[in-house]
Amino acid sequence: MELTGSVPALTAAYEVIRQPLGEILPRLSAVLTELVPHRAAAELSTHCAHSPFKTYGDAELTGRLSTAHLAPLLASGIPGRPWQGTLTLAGAERPVLAVTSRATLRGAVLLLVRDGGATPVDEPAAALVQALWDVVTSHFDRLAAEAMPGALARSRTAAGTRARVIAELGEAYSAALTGVLGVLRSRALDDAAARATATDLAVSALVELRAEADRDQEIAEEPAGQAFARLADSLRPLVRYSPVRLELGGPDSTRTVAADVAHTARVIVRTLLLKVLEQEAVSRVHVGWQITDDALRATVRDDGPGTLTLGGLAHGGVSERLDVLDGRLDVDAVPGWGTTVLATIPLRVSQDPAPDPLTGLGERELQVLGRLALGHRNRAIAQELHISESTVKFHVAKILTKLGVESRGEAAALFHAVA
């Protein structure tokens, strides 16, 4: 795709962000390949709790890339200033372009691995890559900040699986290397030089393994205090021109919390605060977080009329988001004294939630299902999507089969339940 000019660039950005999450990096790589020829692309996006590191392209290169390569680039990168240099990969020094996003607070870096001997990327091309990456990461940030139930369920499922795999790998490698160390330290071995060298190698491997786990944790989790500070920054504008006094009580804990928990807690508290502010005669609202061994407890307490109910507060996606994380909402309202709302979100994954049934549908099938769910008939869907009626019928049949339902009505109901 030719990216010269603002309209083609905007079209390219739209083509990228309209893809399903798993297809965004491949599409971005395809869009950029004429502008910046490259063999592989990788991203490290710290707002993404379940799969922050992704690669696409030449398997020889992507198989050698890891978070260990991108984490230093993310830490040292300057948002808005693309960096060109070399990276040792697959036995050779390869020119790369690294772009750090300006659109997300927690940071995201895109790496393009180019062929050896490639000419440097000129400034306009690098600026356009920067702009496209900013658009993509802004899209990611919105999805994370809104903590939509369907995406949240996938995040929690993948995060739980990922944590178990990391723990199992860590235990297996630690046990193996500890055994090697025990043998090498044995007095029965008299080759001191060989023993010392092998010991150093094993110790280095253990350190790197633990460092990899630490890097993964830093990406997938947020310090509780930092997470609350981000919430506080988003709440203050809501009462800036209001007579209501906002009191903030951050968590007295140095623990970290999973990113999906932090995102959800922020969204829920903002939603609850807006509902509280709709009341009359509210002069003070206290928002606080408490971190226990097992849960994050978010409290919103007001001095209003004390007439709020659980049913009235659970709307707006609050109950759906809590359900995904096995959380709960409690309301204690005392007429004339105010209301205390408590949202409790477990910190541990008790079990994998059911996967989103829509993830098995292709892009066109999702487009057809979305219109079907609005009550549109085949002819109208065909006209809207510029395809034939027979093609619509084919897609509808595939949708019913993939969703395991027997009618258009059941498919529409399932769409509304998870969308």
Side-chain angles (χ1 to χ4, degrees):
M1 177 181 292
E2 176 61 50
L3 296 183
T4 303
S6 58
V7 173
L10 288 172
T11 302
Y14 170 72
E15 286 298 322
V16 172
I17 64 173
R18 70 193 290 263
Q19 303 298 319
L21 284 176
E23 298 299 321
I24 285 183
L25 181 61
R27 184 59 183 167
L28 179 61
S29 176
V31 164
L32 294 176
T33 191
E34 292 186 14
L35 185 68
V36 181
H38 57 278
R39 291 179 57 190
E43 68 170 91
L44 184 61
S45 305
T46 56
H47 53 262
C48 183
H50 53 95
S51 53
F53 175 68
K54 301 181 184 71
T55 61
Y56 175 75
D58 188 334
E60 179 188 1
L61 299 179
T62 58
R64 305 288 187 90
L65 280 167
S66 71
T67 55
H69 294 104
L70 271 70
L73 297 175
L74 178 61
S76 61
I78 301 175
R81 292 179 59 180
W83 175 82
Q84 299 187 62
T86 60
L87 188 68
T88 303
L89 195 61
E93 290 285 326
R94 302 183 186 277
V96 299
L97 174 67
V99 182
T100 305
S101 173
R102 295 173 292 194
T104 177
L105 292 175
R106 297 199 67 205
V109 63
L110 172 70
L111 179 73
L112 301 179
V113 183
R114 312 183 67 208
D115 280 315
T119 58
V121 180
D122 61 36
E123 187 173 338
L128 189 48
V129 176
Q130 175 75 63
L132 284 172
W133 184 233
D134 288 343
V135 170
V136 169
T137 52
S138 177
H139 174 64
F140 286 160
D141 233 21
R142 181 185 65 82
L143 293 178
E146 291 179 358
M148 298 305 291
L152 191 57
R154 293 191 294 274
S155 173
R156 176 47 63 100
T157 299
T161 302
R162 185 159 151 257
R164 285 195 297 274
V165 170
I166 290 169
E168 291 167 2
L169 286 174
E171 290 171 3
Y173 280 114
S174 294
L177 291 174
T178 300
V180 170
L181 283 172
V183 171
L184 294 176
R185 287 170 175 164
S186 172
R187 294 183 179 180
L189 299 175
D190 55 9
D191 190 343
R195 191 161 62 245
T197 301
T199 299
D200 288 342
L201 290 173
V203 168
S204 297
L206 274 172
V207 169
E208 179 57 30
L209 175 67
R210 290 166 181 164
E212 187 70 23
D214 289 342
R215 279 192 293 267
D216 191 88
Q217 182 180 31
E218 289 173 1
I219 292 166
E221 299 185 354
E222 269 188 274
Q226 177 180 307
F228 186 82
R230 292 180 62 188
L231 169 66
D233 289 341
S234 70
L235 296 184
R236 291 189 182 98
L238 301 181
V239 297
R240 181 170 298 159
Y241 303 106
S242 165
V244 176
R245 184 170 81 253
L246 178 64
E247 299 175 353
L248 299 168
D252 183 17
S253 174
T254 58
R255 288 189 56 176
T256 60
V257 295
D260 55 359
V261 171
H263 291 321
T264 303
R266 284 193 289 263
V267 172
I268 287 174
V269 168
R270 285 197 297 269
T271 302
L272 293 175
L273 179 60
L274 288 172
K275 291 180 180 293
V276 165
L277 294 176
E278 291 175 357
Q279 303 176 101
E280 295 181 359
V282 174
S283 61
R284 180 175 61 86
V285 178
H286 176 87
V287 172
W289 278 12
Q290 179 187 10
I291 308 294
T292 67
D293 289 340
D294 301 314
L296 185 156
R297 297 160 60 88
T299 304
V300 179
R301 184 173 65 249
D302 69 61
D303 62 352
T307 57
L308 293 175
T309 64
L310 179 61
L313 291 168
H315 294 302
V318 171
S319 61
E320 291 87 348
R321 291 183 174 96
L322 285 173
D323 287 345
V324 169
L325 299 183
D326 295 326
R328 71 175 189 274
L329 191 69
D330 298 299
V331 178
D332 181 16
V334 180
W337 290 89
T339 304
T340 299
V341 187
L342 173 64
T344 303
I345 305 174
L347 296 179
R348 297 185 177 90
V349 183
S350 58
Q351 61 182 7
D352 288 349
D356 184 348
L358 303 187
T359 56
L361 302 183
E363 179 186 351
R364 180 65 83 184
E365 290 166 344
L366 285 171
Q367 293 172 344
V368 171
L369 178 58
R371 287 162 174 79
L372 183 154
L374 294 173
H376 297 185
R377 307 310 300 171
N378 289 352
R379 178 174 297 179
I381 296 174
Q383 292 173 346
E384 292 170 10
L385 298 180
H386 305 291
I387 56 179
S388 68
E389 270 193 78
S390 61
T391 302
V392 173
K393 291 178 182 178
F394 171 78
H395 285 311
V396 170
K398 293 279 287 184
I399 290 168
L400 299 184
T401 300
K402 288 185 176 182
L403 296 183
V405 297
E406 297 181 357
S407 69
R408 297 165 65 100
E410 289 181 36
L414 186 57
F415 176 85
H416 289 301
V418 300

